Amino acid sequence: MAITLVNPDGLPQIDAYRQVSVATGSKLVFVAGQVAWDADGVTVGEADLAAQVEQCYLNVGTALAGVGGSFDDVAKLTVHVVDWTPDKMPLLMEGIARAAAKLGAAPVPPATLLGVAALDVPEHLVEVEAAAVLD
């Protein structure tokens, strides 16, 4: 495995993700921001943040599988949420948990959560991009 996830001493121990990823592989993979579209380009979970988060993570997983990778290879995630407020955290975590169950992996690499005003399509509530390293 090309990625080792670490929570170093001296930094907060956050359950939702690890603070650091150490990459030792040789193939870098950058996944474009994934929104809640299914394979036909239809929005999944309109007005349902948890459902959209789940679909975004599944789409990242599909993109990685297409190049021989998986969530185990993710070094960093960036999550953009429209009109972010802290009260949305339970829905975000619910969507991540549902995706993790389907992916058979705990997607906990270092992550950055950004609140944004809008995304490309008005019904999209979240977008997830990933950087991965494969052996």
Side-chain angles (χ1 to χ4, degrees):
M1 188 177 329
I3 301 294
T4 302
L5 301 176
V6 182
N7 268 334
D9 290 339
L11 293 176
Q13 304 298 303
I14 299 171
D15 291 335
Y17 63 89
R18 301 301 174 264
Q19 295 282 7
V20 176
S21 66
V22 179
T24 57
S26 59
K27 183 178 182 181
L28 299 178
V29 178
F30 299 93
V31 179
Q34 296 298 302
V35 294
W37 277 332
D38 65 13
D40 296 320
V42 175
T43 298
V44 173
E46 193 166 335
D48 182 342
L49 180 61
Q52 288 200 18
V53 168
E54 177 184 6
Q55 185 64 42
C56 291
Y57 274 72
L58 293 175
N59 288 349
V60 169
T62 298
L64 292 168
V67 296
S70 72
F71 252 99
D72 290 335
D73 301 307
V74 174
K76 174 80 167 64
L77 292 171
T78 304
V79 180
H80 303 85
V81 181
V82 173
D83 297 328
W84 174 257
T85 55
D87 64 308
K88 293 181 180 179
M89 185 60 84
L91 293 172
L92 180 75
M93 298 309 294
E94 177 186 336
I96 292 170
R98 292 189 332 213
K102 289 181 179 175
L103 292 165
V108 293
T112 298
L113 173 63
L114 300 170
V116 297
L119 294 171
D120 63 330
V121 176
E123 62 265 18
H124 290 163
L125 304 175
V126 63
E127 183 171 327
V128 179
E129 60 185 78
V133 180
L134 307 181
D135 285 325

